[in-house]
Amino acid sequence: MRDGLPLILLIDDDPDDRALARIVLERELPRFAVEEIADAPAFGRACGRRSFDLVILELKLGWADGLALLTALKEDWPEVPVIPFTRMGDAETALRATRLGAADYLVKGPAAFLRLPQAVRTALDPAGRRRARPAGAGSAGAAPLESLVDRARMAVFSATPQGRLLNASPGFLQLLGVDDLESANALDLEPFITAAAGWGGANGPLAGAAREARLRRADGRMIWVEVIGTVVRDGGTTRIDGLVEEITARKEAEEERARQSAELRRANEELLQFASMASHELQEPVRMMERYTQLLKEDSQGKLGAEGEELADVVVGAARRLRRLIEDLLALTRVEARERRLEAASIDDLLEQALGDLRDTVEETGAAVTRSPLPKIEVEPSQIVQIFHNLIGNALKFRGPEPPKVHVAARREGGEWVFSVRDNGIGIDPAEAEAVFAIFKRLRTEIPGTGVGLAICKKIVERHGGRIWVESEPGRGSTFYFTIPTS
């Protein structure tokens, strides 16, 4: 405490940042005292007094390691909130600061300065806002607005609710493309000022909230800005104070990304439509090829000779393989084309459906399929059935000399379920563990297949936000794993 007021230590070795932060704090929190700490001796003296209530800390200091200071402060004064207010905006530093006990983390920028008072209120006490700034407190004792940011070259303004500027920093005039206040007031700024104040929303004006708005410059060019406005009521007058940052480049980049994303979605949709149409159109001629070759063989019984009979069998076999390939390609396109609809489903029930489809193959091969308890989670049921059908079907197809044994299990790890399908088959070379999921990839060409089944599994798992991989050795079976997020 200082003179009966809660004391904020402002630790920063940049004098301009310190001055601007102090003015903002004193303007918004007149019932708080602010002490600037610029170097190690001043920090030592403040710690010796042991009488501060909150610390605002720049982590990038020339005379100390900011994270080390944060650690020391939280060890000696664990009850005192510390808010890093820093130029260090990387996620790793923010995470370390949070783990060390930081009450908040603000990266310096035009918008962050006006967010600072609210961060202080929140860190000290949910009710601190009412105590710190009672109704009608206004800006008594605050520094004139023009002294706020002249040195920091920031865009700040003060205006009437009707859009007439009362004051503006050089940075704001430069943003408008004018040289003086008179020229700025010749522009139509009322829509922008209204947006800055937050009027017109369902909840009324909200101080300290950042908003995006369009602003027309003197040269007629429209720019995007982010503005934080505060409605100040002083006696019988009302004004809007605001801090502005131009974000035109960011908005244009966002719009370009959105345009490219829309074009990519449209191209993918067209590709899926083409693949689906082509698959449908190709199925009929392939069926005709297979059917008429069989009829030719039957009608010409004994006339074709051994060589002719063999050629007819080759044509029928090729037609069947082509038909299966077209069916698998159609299934692959449907994975992406259909609307994503998740529903709670018992994985036990979905596995049972897949085994029902494979019943004849299971009986023919003498396979034993076992399972551990499986969960009930939100999935696209038909697609999970498809995964089990393909993985278990492959286990039966690529079997070894012993009758197939397949075990399905699941375990929860963090925020996801990890499913496994283990078999005792011929196994896979670990060098092929990634390539096996590529479309048309067939490791054993002597065994019938299209090379699409595992590609379908990969598409389905990724559509659910999961991963799929295999662990295997030749002759020692394979275990396929796939994950499904819990939410």
Side-chain angles (χ1 to χ4, degrees):
M1 303 286 287
R2 174 183 289 178
D3 299 328
L5 298 178
L7 178 61
I8 298 172
L9 291 188
L10 179 57
I11 304 176
D12 198 326
D13 55 7
D14 186 309
D16 288 340
D17 285 352
R18 270 201 327 273
L20 180 56
R22 178 171 191 148
I23 292 173
V24 170
L25 290 168
E26 290 180 344
R27 186 182 185 87
E28 293 295 313
L29 304 173
R31 294 196 174 184
F32 285 76
V34 179
E35 180 179 348
E36 297 182 32
I37 305 295
D39 51 33
F43 178 68
R45 289 192 296 270
C47 290
R49 291 194 300 271
R50 310 176 69 88
S51 60
F52 45 88
D53 300 276
L54 181 138
V55 177
I56 296 172
L57 174 64
E58 166 63 73
L59 297 179
K60 192 173 183 180
L61 297 167
W63 49 272
D65 179 87
L67 288 172
L69 282 187
L70 174 58
T71 302
L73 286 165
K74 295 309 294 182
E75 286 178 351
D76 290 347
W77 295 278
E79 75 283 358
V80 174
V82 180
I83 300 175
F85 183 60
T86 178
R87 294 183 294 275
M88 300 177 70
D90 61 285
E92 182 181 352
T93 302
L95 181 60
R96 290 179 62 191
T98 301
R99 288 174 174 170
L100 290 171
D104 203 337
Y105 195 95
L106 299 179
V107 179
K108 286 181 179 176
F113 277 90
L114 283 184
R115 293 193 183 108
L116 191 56
Q118 183 57 46
V120 171
R121 296 185 186 109
T122 303
L124 282 173
D125 189 345
R129 180 171 185 171
R130 292 192 295 273
R131 293 199 304 270
R133 188 177 185 180
S139 58
L145 184 62
E146 57 266 23
S147 68
L148 261 173
V149 288
D150 283 355
R151 287 179 297 166
R153 301 181 61 82
M154 296 172 69
V156 174
F157 67 88
S158 181
T160 68
Q162 293 73 36
R164 185 175 65 85
L165 290 175
L166 302 173
N167 211 331
S169 71
F172 186 64
L173 295 177
Q174 183 180 8
L175 201 64
L176 293 174
V178 297
D179 297 323
D180 52 52
L181 199 63
E182 183 179 356
S183 301
N185 275 321
L187 305 174
D188 181 15
L189 298 177
E190 184 175 1
F192 166 73
I193 301 300
T194 300
W199 285 324
N203 299 318
L206 179 63
R211 304 173 187 85
E212 294 179 355
R214 300 294 298 275
L215 182 61
R216 185 180 296 278
R217 287 169 43 92
D219 59 9
R221 183 166 63 92
M222 296 294 292
I223 61 174
W224 278 101
V225 296
E226 184 178 80
V227 56
I228 292 181
T230 301
V231 179
V232 180
R233 293 179 175 86
D234 192 359
T237 64
T238 300
R239 73 173 189 274
I240 295 96
D241 290 347
L243 185 147
V244 187
E245 178 183 11
E246 184 178 2
I247 58 170
T248 303
R250 188 183 82 194
K251 293 293 291 185
E252 289 176 348
E254 290 174 356
E255 290 170 359
E256 177 62 18
R257 285 195 297 270
R259 185 189 66 78
Q260 292 178 354
S261 178
E263 288 183 357
L264 182 59
R265 283 196 303 272
R266 185 171 60 253
N268 284 338
E269 289 169 1
E270 291 174 353
L271 182 60
L272 289 171
Q273 290 174 359
F274 172 76
S276 179
M277 181 184 68
S279 298
H280 279 296
E281 294 298 322
L282 286 171
Q283 280 182 324
E284 186 57 27
V286 170
R287 280 195 294 266
M288 295 290 290
M289 182 193 309
E290 181 181 354
R291 184 181 306 119
Y292 281 111
T293 303
Q294 287 176 325
L295 288 175
L296 176 65
K297 181 179 176 181
E298 292 171 1
D299 290 345
S300 305
Q301 191 75 33
K303 299 178 183 178
L304 296 176
E307 186 175 349
E309 294 277 349
E310 184 178 351
L311 288 174
D313 289 339
V314 169
V315 173
V316 171
R320 286 175 179 168
R321 288 194 299 275
L322 182 57
R323 176 166 51 82
R324 286 195 296 268
L325 178 59
I326 292 170
E327 289 171 351
D328 284 349
L329 286 173
L330 188 57
L332 184 63
T333 62
R334 284 172 178 162
V335 171
E336 292 289 351
R338 64 183 295 173
E339 183 181 353
R340 188 167 181 260
R341 293 180 179 176
L342 301 181
E343 60 182 82
S346 166
I347 304 301
D348 264 312
D349 293 344
L350 302 184
L351 175 59
E352 203 60 47
Q353 291 182 40
L355 291 176
D357 296 338
L358 293 166
R359 183 175 293 109
D360 291 344
T361 308
V362 170
E363 292 176 355
E364 288 173 7
T365 58
V369 181
T370 58
R371 74 185 78 174
S372 299
L374 301 175
K376 182 176 182 179
I377 56 176
E378 285 198 348
V379 293
E380 292 189 71
S382 63
Q383 294 194 345
I384 301 302
V385 172
Q386 181 79 62
I387 291 177
F388 284 130
H389 183 282
N390 290 359
L391 294 181
I392 297 174
N394 279 354
L396 304 182
K397 183 191 301 183
F398 297 96
R399 59 187 181 273
E402 300 293 326
K405 293 181 180 179
V406 182
H407 183 72
V408 180
R411 67 179 186 273
R412 184 162 183 170
E413 290 187 358
E416 62 186 12
W417 281 95
V418 181
F419 294 88
S420 61
V421 179
R422 186 180 72 246
D423 64 54
N424 64 338
I426 59 178
I428 299 169
D429 187 336
E432 302 284 354
E434 291 187 16
V436 73
F437 295 101
I439 190 170
F440 303 136
K441 183 66 175 181
R442 297 177 60 200
L443 302 183
R444 303 293 291 269
T445 55
E446 71 276 14
I447 299 177
T450 61
V452 179
L454 289 178
I456 291 175
C457 291
K458 187 172 186 287
K459 282 282 187 185
I460 292 173
V461 170
E462 290 176 347
R463 182 178 169 88
H464 281 76
R467 301 165 290 120
I468 187 169
W469 69 97
V470 62
E471 294 178 1
S472 180
E473 291 183 23
R476 303 189 64 177
S478 303
T479 303
F480 283 84
Y481 297 92
F482 65 93
T483 65
I484 303 291
T486 56
S487 60

